[in-house]
Amino acid sequence: MKKLFYFVFVPVFFVACNSAENKNMGEEDSTKMSSTQTLSYPTPIEYSKFEMGDQKNTQAILDIWKDFDSNTLANSSDKFADSVTVLFSGMESTTSRDSTLASISQYRGMFNQVNSRIDAIMPIKSTDHNQDMVLVWGTEVHTDKNNKTDSVHLHETWMLDKDGKVNVIMQYQRMAPVKS
């Protein structure tokens, strides 16, 4: 038993100590680099300075996702600005809130059931544009009217106006692989 103790515990102890020490050194090094180094990007970047955003924006987007899943999107109409730009795969439109909600509701109506899983969600604020956003990564599992179930992985960027209302939705998607 004593041999097992030295064989297992002692190496683990040294690895743990080294990991903590290296982590602290890495934090100091990155702090020094970020405070003294100015980056020069090879191409212009429209949005490049961010800070964490307001969690109430996260709650609003989660409510919209829930209402989409339960086919009650009208419950979230107050979360949208008067005019909304929607950028989906193969589609770009700027329409009124009512037209946007009608289009999204029409799409939702193609399915008997929708269940979404949120993998990550993050509110951010672009400080160089004074723009609030919420980034969402997740998976939507939907069953169509013929009872065929399919999945799509999503990344969405929701932009909010100065009143905290959604005025831009960008969605990027990839069909989930078929499980055999």
Side-chain angles (χ1 to χ4, degrees), residues 6-168:
Y6 285 113
F7 184 72
V8 174
F9 179 76
V10 173
V12 170
F13 176 77
F14 284 116
V15 169
C17 290
N18 274 341
S19 295
E21 187 177 306
N22 289 343
K23 181 181 176 204
N24 290 336
M25 283 184 3
E27 289 172 4
E28 290 173 16
D29 291 346
S30 70
T31 303
K32 288 178 185 173
M33 285 176 52
S34 65
S35 64
T36 60
Q37 183 181 33
T38 301
L39 295 177
S40 176
Y41 298 118
T43 183
I45 299 173
E46 184 66 27
Y47 292 83
S48 63
K49 295 181 175 89
F50 294 92
E51 63 186 24
M52 289 305 294
D54 192 333
Q55 287 295 331
K56 75 176 177 3
N57 296 333
T58 300
Q59 184 64 52
I61 302 311
L62 288 172
D63 290 344
I64 293 169
W65 269 56
K66 180 182 172 282
D67 284 336
F68 178 82
D69 281 4
S70 61
N71 204 17
T72 57
L73 194 57
N75 293 344
S76 288
S77 65
D78 63 329
K79 294 174 177 65
F80 290 85
D82 291 338
S83 176
V84 182
T85 299
V86 177
L87 306 165
F88 290 172
S89 181
M91 176 195 154
E92 179 176 337
S93 70
T94 300
T95 59
S96 70
R97 170 186 39 235
D98 293 340
S99 293
T100 299
L101 291 173
S103 294
I104 295 171
S105 293
Q106 181 180 13
Y107 171 75
R108 171 57 181 90
M110 294 172 26
F111 305 111
N112 287 332
Q113 185 176 2
V114 175
N115 292 305
S116 298
R117 183 190 78 230
I118 306 289
D119 294 316
I121 188 165
M122 179 173 52
I124 60 173
K125 182 174 190 76
S126 166
T127 58
D128 50 350
H129 288 274
N130 193 28
Q131 174 71 60
D132 286 304
M133 301 178 201
V134 175
L135 308 176
V136 185
W137 294 265
T139 302
E140 174 186 300
V141 179
H142 48 253
T143 304
D144 68 15
K145 299 290 184 182
N146 296 320
N147 289 320
K148 180 182 181 235
T149 300
D150 218 337
S151 301
V152 62
H153 298 296
L154 301 170
H155 166 72
E156 294 179 343
T157 301
W158 297 73
M159 300 174 89
L160 298 98
D161 65 14
K162 63 181 175 27
D163 298 320
K165 307 286 185 179
V166 173
N167 63 353
V168 177

